[in-house]
């Protein structure tokens, strides 16, 4: 079977096959990065929402912005239709183009993942959660949760994704929604000295066991040091459901996914928002 921009679709399929089969696989990131894209480039392993990096042939920010605008579609058919996002769809050229033509690392920022959708929906439905709060969106991807936090009255928002292209996509999505752009940084903040955030948001971050272990430890330290509140969005991935952190979570809300999102995510029907409450 030839690869279309199953660049995106194949990544989704691998992710959700692992979920359905309840496989906890430490080599999952390597499988996604190499078999999904099939590129002859050198990848570097990093613990992050992206997993691997490769060098882009597009260097300037203006060129990357132009490329994103020309090769994505503005989408509102998801759980937060009040937030429009530039995403990959079957109408986009690179959905079907040969993977080797894609000039960046894996485009996770171009997918509105189910955990992020639930998290953003929860913030919009419950503006008191973020009103006048300092919010960190970790592994921010397309920036939807950050935008939802800003729309819900957060006093300060920082979006963090180690893919520099994601930081540019987030800024474009802010402009698309009439939201004043907030800071977006690509430094890996996981494991750094905790700052005084009122709220940390994590959507779809528990996809790999080693990363989940590091997050668990770092989030505990954030809560211990600053009494930070932590909200997690996840559709029930095996790496999340089987991790010890799952025993420390309180369910806040569950959202049914629209038909289009279910189809793109190979049968997942719902996504849940959890509050992290570690033992003292």
């Amino acid at each position: 079977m030839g690869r279309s921009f199953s660049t995106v679709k194949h990544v989704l399929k691998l992710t959700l096959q692992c979920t359905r089969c309840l496989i906890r696989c430490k080599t999952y990131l390597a499988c996604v990065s190499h078999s999904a894209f099939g590129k002859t480039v050198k990848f570097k392993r990093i613990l992050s929402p992206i997993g691997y990096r490769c060098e882009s042939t597009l260097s300037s920010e203006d060129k990357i912005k132009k490329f994103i605008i020309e090769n994505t579609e503005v989408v509102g058919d998801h759980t937060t239709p009040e937030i429009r996002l530039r995403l990959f769809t079957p109408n986009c050229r690179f959905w079907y183009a040969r993977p080797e033509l894609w000039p960046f690392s894996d485009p996770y920022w171009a997918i509105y993942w189910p955990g992020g959708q639930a998290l953003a929906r929860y913030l919009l439905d419950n503006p008191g959660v973020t009103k006048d709060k300092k919010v960190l969106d970790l592994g921010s991807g397309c920036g939807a949760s950050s935008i939802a936090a800003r729309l819900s009255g957060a006093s300060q928002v920082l979006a963090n994704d180690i893919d520099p292209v994601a930081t540019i996509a987030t800024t474009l999505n802010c402009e698309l929604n009439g939201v004043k752009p907030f800071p977006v940084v690509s430094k890996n903040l996981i494991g750094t000295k905790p700052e005084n955030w009122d709220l940390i948001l994590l959507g779809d971050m528990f996809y790999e066991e080693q990363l989940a272990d590091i997050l668990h430890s770092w989030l505990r330290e954030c809560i211990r040091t600053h009494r930070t509140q932590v909200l997690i969005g996840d559709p029930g991935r095996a790496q999340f459901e089987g991790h010890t952190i799952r025993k420390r979570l309180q369910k806040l809300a569950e959202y049914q996914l629209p038909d289009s999102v279910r189809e793109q995510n190979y049968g997942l029907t719902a996504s849940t928002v959890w509050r992290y409450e570690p033992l003292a």
Side-chain angles (χ1 to χ4, degrees):
M1 179 178 178
R3 289 191 182 99
S4 62
F5 197 32
S6 63
T7 337
V8 172
K9 293 173 72 178
H10 190 60
V11 167
L12 283 166
K13 188 171 184 179
L14 281 175
T15 303
L16 295 158
Q17 282 177 340
C18 285
T19 300
R20 287 201 303 267
C21 297
L22 298 179
I23 297 172
R24 298 173 65 188
C25 178
K26 289 186 177 181
T27 59
Y28 169 67
L29 282 179
C31 293
V32 169
S33 294
H34 291 90
S35 70
F37 282 78
K39 294 183 178 180
T40 55
V41 296
K42 293 181 179 179
F43 290 93
K44 180 176 69 175
R45 179 73 178 261
I46 48 179
L47 290 172
S48 69
I50 304 302
Y52 289 79
R53 289 279 184 83
C54 62
E55 292 186 2
S56 170
T57 57
L58 299 178
S59 55
S60 76
E61 183 171 327
D62 287 341
K63 287 182 179 179
I64 294 173
K65 283 184 175 180
K66 183 173 184 291
F67 185 90
I68 292 172
I69 291 171
E70 291 177 349
N71 291 283
T72 57
E73 183 177 18
V74 176
V75 177
D77 184 17
H78 41 65
T79 60
T80 56
E82 55 268 74
I83 297 177
R84 297 186 301 159
L85 300 165
R86 296 188 183 278
L87 304 173
F88 284 130
T89 74
N91 296 324
C92 300
R93 176 168 64 104
F94 279 97
W95 190 269
Y96 301 101
R98 298 195 312 274
E100 60 269 21
L101 298 178
W102 179 249
F104 305 119
S105 57
D106 299 2
Y108 292 106
W109 52 266
I111 303 169
Y112 193 10
W113 299 90
Q117 294 201 31
L119 202 53
R121 182 71 269 160
Y122 181 78
L123 298 182
L124 293 171
D125 290 346
N126 301 275
V129 173
T130 54
K131 184 173 175 57
D132 300 325
K133 301 288 180 60
K134 294 180 292 183
V135 179
L136 169 64
D137 182 12
L138 193 68
S140 51
C142 66
S145 295
S146 299
I147 293 170
R150 177 66 90 191
L151 291 173
S152 300
S155 61
Q156 181 181 342
V157 175
L158 177 65
N160 173 226
D161 195 302
I162 60 88
D163 185 352
V165 181
T167 68
I168 296 172
T170 293
T171 300
L172 287 173
N173 285 329
C174 284
E175 296 170 356
L176 188 63
N177 289 278
V179 174
K180 183 179 179 180
F182 37 75
V184 188
V185 299
S186 58
K187 176 184 176 181
N188 188 359
L189 297 182
I190 300 170
T192 62
K193 182 179 179 180
E195 295 187 23
N196 190 20
W197 298 104
D198 298 312
L199 176 65
I200 295 177
L201 307 173
L202 301 97
D204 304 281
M205 285 288 286
F206 290 84
Y207 55 81
E208 198 266 343
E209 188 173 357
Q210 186 180 3
L211 175 57
D213 290 341
I214 294 173
L215 279 171
H216 191 187
S217 176
W218 185 68
L219 292 172
R220 279 203 311 263
E221 184 64 17
C222 292
I223 294 172
R224 186 190 67 80
T225 306
H226 298 296
R227 302 183 66 84
T228 302
Q229 183 179 8
V230 176
L231 298 183
I232 297 169
D234 194 273
R237 292 183 178 85
Q239 295 86 351
F240 177 71
E241 293 293 333
H243 197 273
T244 54
I245 195 173
R246 181 66 178 78
K247 301 175 183 178
R248 305 287 181 254
L249 302 179
Q250 177 187 358
K251 184 176 180 178
L252 297 179
E254 181 175 291
Y255 298 95
Q256 296 300 307
L257 298 172
D259 290 341
S260 59
V261 179
R262 294 185 186 193
E263 181 179 354
Q264 292 170 6
N265 285 275
Y266 292 87
L268 285 181
T269 60
S271 190
T272 303
V273 177
W274 307 87
R275 181 166 58 217
Y276 181 34
E277 297 181 338
L279 295 177

